[in-house]
């Protein structure tokens, strides 16, 4: 009698764009451009922050951490997707699929916590400016960033281990462009109710408190800004927060719409656009949002452009 888990050890087939054979090359060019721009934009933030010593300030220190997350997260999916589109080889090994799944969940969790830390940083800067550099000292900032990565890569371990033991006795075809948790659960021939329940529980333990802390921080921030008598002062205070709020809305919105609903209501047709948003577009637009909103970044880029010309 054949082993029920035999198909899983053989790997899976990524069929995200296999129905659009005539668009393989245009899609390859599109995703290659997005990936290269993502790397360039996020590396620019790291280089500018380092060369101008902005990385010494807490806000830019956390921004560099977000840039690292975006570089790693886009590198989890994009290279494999580019190979699939260019060569047509859509196979991915079982270990590679589990690794991709774990990296996705870990980096998403790390970004959740990191965005919460960045909201707290803005809260201290605006609501308690005189003690800002004392509270957000270098040692505390380093501890916060290390904690973000530790929580991010520890929380999904149970999911990874449980999914890696599931038997996949039917089709190996994943109707997606990366190894998505819900699709893997639907392919399994074993009852996955416990893993689905664990997803909601752990998602609530990490995501819900993080979201509440962000909302709480901005309630205090808005209340403090409204007390500022100078209109220019209020505008400056708001401008330091709008970029972070924009990133939070885009990231939280795309993730929650996709995963915080029953698997029975999961649609690959609808999930692909939202997955494209948080796996490709969000890492790309994050640095542009912060660059356009941050005076120091704009000044550095402008100076470099003048020097080149």
């Amino acid at each position: 009698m054949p082993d029920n888990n035999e198909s899983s050890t053989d790997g899976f087939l990524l069929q995200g764009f296999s129905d659009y054979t005539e668009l393989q090359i245009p899609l390859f060019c599109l995703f290659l451009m997005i990936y290269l721009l993502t790397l360039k934009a996020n590396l620019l933030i790291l280089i500018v922050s380092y060369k101008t010593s902005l990385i010494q300030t807490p806000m830019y220190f956390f921004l560099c951490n977000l840039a690292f997350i975006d570089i790693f997260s886009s590198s989890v999916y994009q290279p494999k997707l580019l190979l699939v589109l260019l060569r047509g080889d859509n196979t991915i090994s079982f270990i590679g699929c589990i690794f991709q799944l774990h990296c996705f969940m870990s980096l998403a969790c790390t970004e959740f916590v990191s965005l919460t830390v960045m909201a707290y940083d803005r809260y201290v800067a605006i609501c308690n400016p005189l003690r800002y550099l004392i509270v957000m000292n270098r040692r505390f900032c380093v501890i916060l960033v290390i904690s973000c990565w530790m929580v991010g890569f520890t929380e999904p371990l149970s999911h990874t281990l449980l999914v890696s033991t599931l038997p996949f006795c039917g089709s190996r075809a994943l109707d997606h462009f990366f190894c998505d948790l819900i699709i893997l659960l639907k392919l399994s021939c074993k009852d996955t109710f416990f893993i689905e329940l664990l997803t909601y529980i752990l998602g609530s333990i990490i995501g819900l408190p993080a979201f509440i802390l962000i909302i709480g921080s901005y309630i205090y921030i808005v209340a403090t800004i409204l007390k500022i008598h100078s209109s220019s002062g209020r505008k400056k205070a708001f401008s330091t927060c709008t970029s972070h709020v924009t990133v939070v809305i885009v990231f939280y919105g795309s993730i929650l719409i996709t995963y915080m609903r029953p698997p029975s209501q999961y649609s690959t047709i609808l999930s692909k656009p939202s997955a494209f948003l948080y796996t490709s577009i969000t890492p790309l637009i994050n640095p542009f949002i912060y660059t356009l909103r941050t005076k120091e970044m704009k000044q550095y880029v402008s100076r470099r452009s003048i020097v080149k010309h």
Side-chain angles (χ1 to χ4, degrees):
M1 182 176 181
D3 184 3
N4 284 341
N5 205 33
E6 183 178 357
S7 62
S8 68
T9 57
D10 291 340
F12 299 96
L13 302 174
L14 298 173
Q15 296 186 328
F17 301 104
S18 58
D19 294 335
Y20 309 97
T21 53
E22 70 282 0
L23 296 176
Q24 297 294 300
I25 298 302
L27 286 173
F28 170 80
C29 295
L30 173 64
F31 280 105
L32 179 62
M33 181 182 67
I34 290 174
Y35 183 51
L36 293 178
L37 283 175
T38 300
L39 294 180
K40 183 177 180 179
N42 283 286
L43 285 172
L44 178 63
I45 286 182
L46 297 175
I47 293 170
V48 172
S49 299
Y50 176 76
K51 285 192 172 183
T52 59
S53 298
L54 287 172
I55 198 171
Q56 302 298 325
T57 61
M59 184 180 77
Y60 284 95
F61 182 72
F62 295 130
L63 181 56
C64 288
N65 177 56
L66 185 63
F68 271 116
I69 295 173
D70 287 337
I71 289 172
F72 292 145
S73 61
S74 59
S75 297
V76 169
Y77 328 99
Q78 300 281 20
K80 178 59 182 178
L81 176 58
L82 291 172
L83 285 175
V84 170
L85 292 172
L86 183 63
R87 297 181 178 179
D89 181 11
N90 61 346
T91 59
I92 183 171
S93 67
F94 179 72
I95 295 177
C97 187
I98 295 299
F99 175 78
Q100 196 179 71
L101 173 67
H102 181 69
C103 286
F104 161 70
M105 294 188 294
S106 298
L107 290 167
C109 184
T110 303
E111 187 156 348
F112 269 117
V113 184
S114 296
L115 290 173
T116 307
V117 168
M118 294 173 76
Y120 177 72
D121 171 68
R122 293 298 84 207
Y123 160 75
V124 178
I126 294 174
C127 300
N128 198 359
L130 296 179
R131 290 181 54 82
Y132 177 59
L133 293 179
I134 297 175
V135 175
M136 304 302 293
N137 58 73
R138 175 45 63 97
R139 181 174 178 272
F140 184 55
C141 290
V142 171
I143 291 174
L144 286 175
V145 168
I146 293 175
S147 299
C148 289
W149 287 86
M150 289 181 64
V151 171
F153 275 80
T154 301
E155 189 269 347
L157 277 175
S158 55
H159 278 79
T160 305
L161 294 173
L162 289 171
V163 172
S164 66
T165 61
L166 287 176
F168 297 93
C169 347
S171 171
R172 296 189 300 130
L174 296 175
D175 189 13
H176 218 308
F177 55 87
F178 73 100
C179 290
D180 184 65
L181 173 64
I182 297 179
I183 293 182
L184 285 172
L185 295 182
K186 293 178 73 172
L187 284 182
S188 176
C189 52
K190 182 180 179 181
D191 182 19
T192 59
F193 173 77
F194 177 73
I195 301 178
E196 294 168 15
L197 180 63
L198 187 65
T199 301
Y200 290 112
I201 293 175
L202 293 181
S204 299
I205 290 174
I206 298 295
L208 188 60
F211 185 71
I212 291 174
L213 287 172
I214 290 175
I215 295 298
S217 296
Y218 276 102
I219 289 174
Y220 280 102
I221 287 172
V222 172
T224 302
I225 291 176
L226 293 177
K227 294 178 183 178
I228 299 175
H229 299 292
S230 168
S231 59
S232 60
R234 288 197 299 270
K235 183 179 179 180
K236 182 179 179 181
F238 272 120
S239 67
T240 63
C241 301
T242 51
S243 54
H244 179 259
V245 171
T246 304
V247 171
V248 168
I249 291 173
V250 173
F251 182 73
Y252 269 74
S254 57
I255 290 287
L256 294 178
I257 288 172
T258 304
Y259 293 100
M260 296 311 288
R261 58 183 174 180
S264 58
Q265 298 180 9
Y266 183 83
S267 169
T268 54
I269 297 176
L270 297 177
S271 68
K272 288 176 188 177
S274 60
F276 174 71
L277 182 63
Y278 60 74
T279 60
S280 300
I281 300 301
T282 301
L284 172 63
I285 66 174
N286 281 354
F288 287 101
I289 291 172
Y290 279 103
T291 301
L292 293 174
R293 289 288 183 177
T294 308
K295 181 180 67 176
E296 293 85 356
M297 287 287 180
K298 288 189 289 186
Q299 288 176 345
Y300 181 85
V301 173
S302 298
R303 288 199 302 267
R304 297 292 294 178
S305 299
I306 293 172
V307 170
K308 287 182 178 180
H309 290 86

